[in-house]
Amino acid sequence: MGGFGVSQQPLIRVINLDRCENRLQHITAELAAVGLQWERLAAVEPPAHGYLAHPLYRAGKARRFHGVDLARGEIGCFLSHIEALQTFLDSGRTHLLVLEDDVDLPPDFQPFLTDLTTELKRLAWDWSCLNLSASYDKRYKSIFKGRTLRRAFYFPTLTSALLWSRSGAQAFLEHVRRHGMYLPVDQQLRAHLAKTGRGLSLSTPVADLLPMPTSIEARINQRHPMARLRRNAANYGWAYLNMFCNR
């Protein structure tokens, strides 16, 4: 399998909090081992007070879904992913790989990524985002064999390794500008892609997670007991509609 030329490699941004040096050491070693060039993105850590006043945050929507506001760490994580997408659109690259700093990559990740991006170009289909770190075995359509690439009508949550197209990054940023932040980023990305039908996943995730403690602080207030149903009901509807239309 071939490797990337410098200009063909996806832009790789690694989200890492300034205070998490052990995680940075881990991901530095991971990416050096697989031979990929990358850039650190200093994760957003909102102030301890006043973080709910962020202009993109929609408190009313968040409370309707969960009965409580988003946690400080959830807002910081969302804003970090938004910053990664914005810097990607300012670059000349065609793909963006966003990694969180607890991801564990296999030794053959570089040639796998080369082959994957080549296959995506062959598809000639306007996809948005491919989840490399999580799979969901319902509401999908296989595209090719092997480590099967899937149309993920119900996009898997977990944002540890996401591959983006330029059109997908633009569409999600426009969604956030229009609707604001009101769910954790993985849940809001699922809602967005369930509606557009432009999400992808793999039958078996290529990126794993190390058993590290989360760097997002524990939630103080518990979500409403009906939060999951409120959050997912529309997603199921859009996923089934897109599956039916793409048979």
Side-chain angles (χ1 to χ4, degrees):
M1 297 184 197
F4 288 110
V6 174
S7 62
Q8 286 77 39
Q9 178 188 297
L11 176 65
I12 300 177
R13 302 302 307 273
V14 174
I15 297 174
N16 169 254
L17 284 165
D18 289 340
R19 57 183 166 82
C20 293
E21 294 184 7
N22 62 325
R23 288 170 173 256
L24 181 59
Q25 291 171 358
H26 156 72
I27 196 64
T28 298
E30 287 283 303
L31 287 163
V34 298
L36 289 172
Q37 297 180 8
W38 58 284
E39 300 173 13
R40 177 179 177 268
L41 189 155
V44 177
E45 191 159 27
H49 301 287
Y51 58 88
L52 295 178
H54 193 281
L56 284 174
Y57 181 56
R58 302 291 184 267
K61 284 186 179 180
R63 292 166 190 165
R64 280 199 297 275
F65 276 107
H66 287 158
V68 294
D69 283 302
L70 291 185
R72 176 186 173 214
E74 289 171 331
I75 290 177
C77 182
F78 204 131
L79 293 173
S80 300
H81 279 269
I82 290 298
E83 184 176 338
L85 297 181
Q86 290 170 336
T87 57
F88 166 51
L89 293 180
D90 292 335
S91 76
R93 303 295 178 89
T94 58
H95 298 96
L96 167 70
L97 177 61
V98 181
L99 299 176
E100 295 178 353
D101 56 12
D102 59 348
V103 74
D104 187 28
L105 302 175
D108 64 343
F109 184 72
Q110 197 258 28
F112 173 83
L113 191 59
T114 303
D115 291 348
L116 179 63
T117 53
T118 299
E119 185 63 32
L120 289 168
K121 289 176 184 176
R122 256 192 228 113
L123 286 178
W125 177 68
D126 194 17
W127 62 280
S128 287
C129 185
L130 167 55
N131 198 322
L132 299 174
S133 56
S135 185
Y136 189 79
D137 289 328
K138 295 179 182 178
R139 292 172 282 281
Y140 69 87
K141 179 181 179 181
S142 297
I143 298 176
F144 68 82
K145 296 180 180 180
R147 188 191 293 264
T148 309
L149 184 65
R150 296 171 167 178
R151 292 280 302 273
F153 298 109
Y154 196 72
F155 193 72
T157 55
L158 198 62
T159 54
S160 298
L162 299 177
L163 184 67
W164 288 89
S165 69
R166 292 189 70 84
S167 62
Q170 289 169 335
F172 188 60
L173 286 176
E174 178 58 32
H175 162 82
V176 176
R177 281 192 289 268
R178 183 174 299 177
H179 301 287
M181 300 182 298
Y182 54 91
L183 292 171
V185 64
D186 59 345
Q187 294 289 346
Q188 194 158 332
L189 181 57
R190 167 181 276 180
H192 168 68
L193 293 176
K195 192 169 184 178
T196 66
R198 291 170 55 190
L200 298 173
S201 67
L202 300 171
S203 55
T204 305
V206 67
D208 293 324
L209 295 184
L210 287 183
M212 292 181 171
T214 180
S215 57
I216 296 178
E217 77 277 9
R219 170 174 292 281
I220 297 173
N221 299 316
Q222 295 300 309
R223 290 173 177 161
H224 191 280
M226 295 293 288
R228 184 174 181 180
L229 178 61
R230 291 174 180 173
R231 187 178 64 225
N232 290 337
N235 295 341
Y236 288 138
W238 282 113
Y240 280 119
L241 177 63
N242 280 311
M243 282 182 65
F244 178 79
C245 293
N246 286 280
R247 284 182 178 177

